Structure formats: structure tokens, C-alpha cells
Amino acid sequence: RHGTRGVRSLMLRSVSRSVARIAPSSGTYRTLALKSGQWVRNKDDLHTETKLVHAGVDPDPITGAILTPVYQSTTYVQESVDEYLAKGYSYSRTNNPTVTVLENKIAELEGGYGAACFSTGMAATIAVITSTMQAGDHCVITNCSYGGTNRACRTLFTDMGMEFDFIDFTELANIEAHLKPNTKLIFSESPANPTLTLTDLSAVSALAKSRGLLHACDSTFATPILQRPVDHGVDLVIQSTTKYYDGHNMTVGGAVVAASPELHERVKHMQNVHGNIMSPQNAFYTLQTAKTLALRVRQQCENAQAIAEFLERHPKVDVVRYPGLASFPQKELADRQHMNGLHGGMLWFEVKGGTAAGRALMDSIQRPWSLCENLGALESICTCPAVMTHANMLAEDRLKVGITDGFVRLSVGIEHKEDLIASLKASLDALPDELADEEAPRAAAA
């Protein structure tokens, strides 16, 4: 006990000397220039990992709650007619405080002027088309995109009098050759779903600007951890927040990031007209899941690289595509366009024996893989695009871009890579040799 008092006495004397150094002679304490709650540096200078946690978010001004509240309210009381909208809110179809915080976070992460959050990723895509095109206008769009995007342009918007050319976006000259006097929009997706073909975003953006056109890019597969299309001159960026921003298979949602105030206002107008704003509850969930985006994506990239290398070595695998592989056809562009040496958590492959062998593998895949739709989640997912995500494309259009009935798409999660590889190896090794040896027609690998 005596020893404890001695240590405490030494600590008190040490603290007293420290306080004395900052105490003026009058006996009152001067206030340090530093203050709790203030940022250590300009928010623009913070690293991405810090922005993922804090961008757009401030402690609640009434309670000090560190998390943004869920404002589950339809309407907002106005103090007077003259002061209508003085606080920025009147009706939650137009704006909601919880959703606004998420919109501000995503805009900052993506490097845009502003963002609008939607009920689904497709709602975000629809908003891009309706805010940039009218009847009689023409769009040059990638021939390999999410199936819902292809369907909406091919049916819904075509029926409204808009024109679309679905073409290969891997060559700039091909895009330029398809521009018309009535072209208003160039629509890219990079990496493309599901073939992972890349678009040179800087080159396409430069072409668009030289012709007075807009360039929209769906960057869902990349996330701002791999690329920020606005930095490459893209005018409108689409994110299906259902995927990596959520990352937990909990919500559906989408976002459109605009590079300019004028475009942001056009997208927000369509959000209000369509009435498809994201719900405050889903916005709250996404605010939390986005905090770990960088941690998750890095682990997913590491796992995907290891799995791709394993598949490339397996004798029953015919072709595998992953931007991190030296064999990837657009490896130079992948290394130049993707940041931090990361290439995403998505890959695809086909096994020898064609459709029958591919279907047999997917039907036999064991946990931790799950046979289902969606991507970007913590859980690893195996998908058959021809039946699931891209079934709404015309069969001939799927084959043109290399999506056969035996095409296997993998969304790699954060499980241990050895467990994931063990499951794939078991299914590959179990394939009958007669399937692996069978010659089957297959579309050219993308």
C-alpha cells in the first residue's frame, strides 16, 4: 500500500509540472488552440479509409449521437409559409435527412459534385437515361452490361422513341464510328458485368467532350477503391449500392454521382418525379456498411487473385478471366486505370466440356460458396448469368459477348481463400472425364 501511494505521488507531481507549463501566473488556465470535435486536418486531405467512416457524417446536433439517426418521417413542419423549405425538407419523396447524409458521403467518396440515392440500382440507371435523353435521341452503349440495363434500353426506352447501339467498347475507334448527329449519351460499364471487359474511361470521356456529349459509366464492379470515374472525366457515375457499398446482402439501392451542379439537379429532379428515392432505413444501413468498404474490397481482391491463379492452373478449366492475371487481354489498361494495384472481387471461368460441365460444376459447388444472384458481399457467390442475371438479354446477344450457358461468374467474399479454393477443387475434380473431354461449341472468350 505504501508503494502504491508513492507511485501515485510521483504521478501527481508529474501532472502538476505538466499543468504548470500551460498555466499562466494568475492561476487561471489558458485554453489550448486544439479543441475536441475539430478535425486534425482539412477533410479534403483525409485518406479514403477515414472518409469511408466519417465523410458526410457529423454527430447529431441535439444528442451528440455518433450515428446519423433514421429520420422515419413523411413530412416536416414548416415555421411559416414564407420560410417554407428553410430547413431543407418538406416531404421525404424529395429529400430525407438520413438519405442526404448518405448522398453526401457517396459524392465525396466518388469525387463528384453531388449524388442521388435510389431505391435500387436499376432506378439509378433509369434516372441517368431519363435525365439525359428524350425521344429521337441516340445513345452508344456497351454491348456487355448488367442484364437489366440492356433490357431497359432495348425495350422500355426504345418503345419511347430513343435509339441505342449496343457495341464493343474495348476499342475507342469503334465507339467513335457509331456516333450520330442525334447522339446524346455514351454509356459505359467498367469492368463490365459479367465479362470484366474494360473501357478506357479517360479516352472515352475525351471523345465525348470533343463532341459535346455526356459520358455515363456504371462503376459498380470497381467501387471507388479501384477507380473514380469522375477523375477520368466521366460526367455521371452509377453505383448499385446493393453490391459493394452494402456488402452484406441486406439492402437494395443505387446511386448516381454527378460531376457538375447542373447534372446533379437534373438527376435529383428525376428522382423526385419518379418517386424512387432510397428509404431512410436502407440509407442508415448503407451508411454503416460503407465504413468497411476498403477493408472488404482489399480482402476480396486478395482472395480473387489467388482463386484466379488456382483456376488457371487446373487442367479442367478452359478459360479464366481476372484483371489481375498476366493473361488478362486488357492487362495494361487494368494496371493503368485501377488504383492501388487492386482489380476487384469478380472473376469468371469456363470448364472443359462446355455447358454441361459448367452446369454440373455450379450444381455441385459446396459451401462456403452459395449458388445465387447478387455480388460484392462478404459471402462468396457463384452465379450462372445465362439463367440468372443476364437471362433477359437476347440469347444471341449473350453469345456475342461470350456469355455461354456454362459461363461461371464468381463474386469472391472474405472467407479464407484456402477454403474457397478447396470447394472449387472438389467440384472440378469431381467432373466426369467424359464431360471435360467433350467438344462443345463455345463463344469466343471475352
Side-chain angles (χ1 to χ4, degrees):
R1 185 178 299 173
H2 177 76
T4 301
R5 285 201 301 269
V7 170
R8 185 179 300 160
S9 176
L10 286 171
M11 291 174 64
L12 288 172
R13 287 199 297 272
S14 176
V15 170
S16 297
R17 286 194 295 270
S18 298
V19 171
R21 283 196 291 269
I22 65 170
S25 57
S26 63
T28 60
Y29 297 106
R30 65 179 175 84
T31 302
L32 292 176
L34 304 181
K35 189 178 187 306
S36 175
Q38 294 179 338
W39 282 97
V40 69
R41 60 178 59 165
N42 189 300
K43 286 187 177 182
D44 292 339
D45 298 329
L46 297 172
H47 292 81
T48 298
E49 293 80 359
T50 305
K51 289 181 179 180
L52 283 165
V53 177
H54 296 286
V57 179
D58 291 308
D60 182 65
I62 297 175
T63 65
I66 197 168
L67 300 184
T68 301
V70 180
Y71 288 91
Q72 194 66 54
S73 180
T74 303
T75 192
Y76 305 85
V77 176
Q78 309 297 312
E79 294 187 3
S80 71
V81 173
D82 288 339
E83 294 178 290
Y84 175 66
L85 280 178
K87 297 179 181 178
Y89 301 94
S90 66
Y91 194 68
S92 278
R93 189 194 72 236
T94 306
N95 284 300
N96 173 278
T98 311
V99 179
T100 297
V101 172
L102 178 61
E103 290 174 336
N104 291 340
K105 176 185 282 288
I106 291 176
E108 187 169 345
L109 293 173
E110 299 279 353
Y113 170 82
C117 285
F118 294 84
S119 55
T120 66
M122 274 309 303
T125 298
I126 296 297
V128 166
I129 302 296
T130 54
S131 62
T132 58
M133 295 181 64
Q134 299 177 4
D137 290 343
H138 172 253
C139 171
V140 178
I141 184 169
T142 174
N143 60 2
C144 188
S145 65
Y146 172 58
T149 301
N150 178 282
R151 174 174 55 183
C153 296
R154 184 169 43 83
T155 59
L156 172 66
F157 292 121
T158 299
D159 290 347
M160 292 180 177
M162 302 177 193
E163 301 174 28
F164 295 86
D165 273 327
F166 300 89
I167 66 165
D168 180 2
F169 262 48
T170 60
E171 295 293 336
L172 184 67
N174 192 42
I175 300 173
E176 187 170 15
H178 283 83
L179 298 180
K180 300 178 179 179
N182 61 332
T183 302
K184 293 295 188 295
L185 179 67
I186 299 176
F187 193 117
S188 65
E189 183 173 297
S190 188
N193 183 0
T195 63
L196 302 177
T197 50
L198 306 181
T199 297
D200 189 331
L201 299 181
S202 294
V204 173
S205 295
L207 171 63
K209 285 177 172 50
S210 72
R211 300 294 186 89
L213 308 176
L214 294 173
H215 178 197
C217 175
D218 187 329
S219 187
T220 297
F221 271 32
T223 81
I225 307 304
L226 267 68
Q227 70 184 19
R228 300 205 313 174
V230 172
D231 293 344
H232 295 273
V234 173
D235 300 291
L236 292 163
V237 180
I238 299 169
Q239 287 286 352
S240 174
T241 59
T242 309
K243 310 306 191 292
Y244 286 98
Y245 269 94
D246 174 307
H248 292 70
N249 284 316
M250 291 196 304
T251 71
V252 290
V256 176
V257 180
S260 70
E262 187 266 339
L263 284 174
H264 178 59
E265 287 303 315
R266 284 159 65 177
V267 173
K268 286 292 289 182
H269 171 71
M270 285 301 170
Q271 180 193 56
N272 191 34
V273 169
H274 293 154
N276 51 15
I277 190 172
M278 182 182 285
S279 73
Q281 190 70 49
N282 279 2
F284 175 82
Y285 290 143
T286 309
L287 280 167
Q288 313 321 315
T289 58
K291 295 175 183 178
T292 60
L293 180 63
L295 296 173
R296 290 185 279 111
V297 168
R298 287 195 181 96
Q299 185 63 50
Q300 288 166 310
C301 291
E302 179 184 327
N303 285 351
Q305 182 72 37
I307 290 168
E309 291 173 0
F310 158 75
L311 291 171
E312 201 166 44
R313 294 191 301 267
H314 199 284
K316 290 185 180 178
V317 173
D318 191 19
V319 59
V320 57
R321 289 286 181 260
Y322 178 67
L325 291 176
S327 60
F328 187 70
Q330 296 176 285
K331 188 65 168 71
E332 184 277 331
L333 177 58
D335 290 341
R336 172 162 47 90
Q337 191 159 278
H338 294 164
M339 301 185 296
N340 306 312
L342 302 174
H343 295 293
M346 302 299 300
L347 61 100
W348 68 269
F349 68 101
E350 287 193 272
V351 295
K352 294 177 180 177
T355 295
R359 293 288 184 90
L361 180 138
M362 287 184 273
D363 286 343
S364 69
I365 197 77
Q366 294 181 300
R367 306 298 297 273
W369 294 98
S370 297
L371 181 63
C372 59
E373 296 191 47
N374 204 23
L375 62 94
L378 301 170
E379 297 87 359
S380 291
I381 292 173
C382 176
T383 299
C384 180
V387 173
M388 300 178 181
T389 57
H390 290 70
N392 46 39
M393 286 180 68
L394 298 175
E396 56 267 32
D397 290 341
R398 288 200 305 267
L399 290 173
K400 284 178 184 177
V401 298
I403 306 173
T404 67
D405 289 348
F407 185 110
V408 183
R409 189 188 77 177
L410 298 182
S411 170
V412 182
I414 66 167
E415 304 94 338
H416 198 286
K417 59 188 175 185
E418 291 182 5
D419 296 328
L420 295 169
I421 290 173
S423 174
L424 287 167
K425 185 177 187 303
S427 291
L428 285 166
D429 291 347
L431 289 175
D433 289 337
E434 56 268 26
L435 284 180
D437 293 337
E438 180 183 323
E439 290 295 329
R442 181 173 62 82

